[in-house]
Amino acid sequence: EAGVTQSPTHLIKTRGQQATLRCSPISGHTSVYWYQQALGLGLQFLLWYDEGEERNRGNFPPRFSGRQFPNYSSELNVNALELEDSALYLCASSGPGTAQETQYFGPGTRLLVL
Amino acid sequence: GEDVEQSLFLSVREGDSSVINCTYTDSSSTYLYWYKQEPGAGLQLLTYIFSNMDMKQDQRLTVLLNKKDKHLSLRIADTQTGDSAIYFCAESISDSWGKLQFGAGTQVVVTP
């Protein structure tokens, strides 16, 4: 069974640009979660999508946004990039058959903002 | 606060047991998790424990949960060089659905 997949693996942008990160959940999972892992800040919860709706949001500014598509894949958009947005962005999924909200993570997208 | 605390570093000899400790904050957490992260990789779910359990064993892994002290530990028996990684404990947050609160991670280095 395929795990969570993310694309691209690496992304280089300049300050002020927009970045789009993509995530495909494990087949059968309906929830997608996004986390930021920045150096020195640890893993921070960004967003949770379930059945196409944003269900919860972490303490991040509105320029971090996303959506979930009918096939349960998801996009994370970061507008007006700042240098401190450089981080590993991890996507996770959960769904029926797992222990409640147990989250399974993808390999991440490494974003570098210059 | 929502800080999950872990010691930052653990060195262990190959073949010995490793014990990684974690204290969490949310007494209403339903599940507590252990994840492993190897260099340049995402998080691999190792195991989880439901909050009404005291212990869970899964092959070389043993999780102990002390709800009174909000203390969680992960024991790895017969530690191998492939166990060298960063280990994160995480708790589900009862008043923030979907959110996992992670500790800073414990770097485990296994020496031959």
Side-chain angles (χ1 to χ4, degrees), chain B residues 1-33:
Chain B
E2 292 186 341
D3 287 343
V4 175
E5 295 186 354
Q6 299 180 238
S7 53
L8 293 182
F9 184 80
L10 176 68
S11 179
V12 62
R13 294 176 75 94
E14 193 174 9
D16 288 350
S17 292
S18 312
V19 179
I20 308 166
N21 294 301
C22 169
T23 55
Y24 61 96
T25 57
D26 187 348
S27 56
S28 300
S29 282
T30 309
Y31 286 94
L32 295 132
Y33 304 89

Side-chain angles (χ1 to χ4, degrees), chain A:
Chain A
E1 180 184 289
V4 176
T5 59
Q6 293 187 243
S7 63
T9 54
H10 292 81
L11 191 56
I12 301 175
K13 295 284 185 180
T14 55
R15 200 168 46 182
Q17 285 189 313
Q18 178 195 33
T20 298
L21 288 64
R22 295 180 177 84
C23 172
S24 290
I26 291 170
S27 177
H29 284 188
T30 59
S31 279
V32 170
Y33 311 80
W34 289 96
Y35 289 82
Q36 182 196 66
Q37 187 177 26
L39 216 57
L41 293 177
L43 280 147
Q44 303 291 325
F45 169 75
L46 262 167
L47 289 158
W48 169 33
Y49 290 95
D50 181 62
E51 297 285 358
E53 300 284 331
E54 182 181 303
R55 301 296 184 182
N56 195 7
R57 178 181 186 89
N59 189 23
F60 281 83
R63 57 191 187 81
F64 287 83
S65 66
R67 53 182 172 164
Q68 186 178 32
F69 300 99
N71 66 354
Y72 303 112
S73 67
S74 176
E75 252 179 26
L76 174 69
N77 295 293
V78 188
N79 294 319
L81 284 164
E82 299 178 4
L83 296 179
E84 52 265 33
D85 296 333
S86 294
L88 180 67
Y89 288 83
L90 292 165
C91 171
S93 73
S94 72
T98 61
Q100 212 165 334
E101 65 269 20
T102 300
Q103 298 179 22
Y104 296 85
F105 283 80
T109 292
R110 193 165 294 279
L111 172 64
L112 177 61
V113 182
L114 302 174

Side-chain angles (χ1 to χ4, degrees), chain B residues 81-100:
Chain B
T81 54
D83 295 325
S84 292
I86 300 176
Y87 292 79
F88 292 92
C89 71
E91 61 173 340
S92 57
I93 301 296
S94 57
D95 63 356
S96 187
W97 287 105
K99 175 181 178 179
L100 293 183

Side-chain angles (χ1 to χ4, degrees), chain B residues 65-93:
Chain B
L65 176 59
N66 180 330
K67 283 196 74 173
K68 175 177 167 290
D69 296 335
K70 295 183 199 160
H71 183 265
L72 182 72
S73 68
L74 174 70
R75 178 178 179 269
I76 306 173
D78 187 26
T79 311
Q80 304 297 308
T81 54
D83 295 325
S84 292
I86 300 176
Y87 292 79
F88 292 92
C89 71
E91 61 173 340
S92 57
I93 301 296

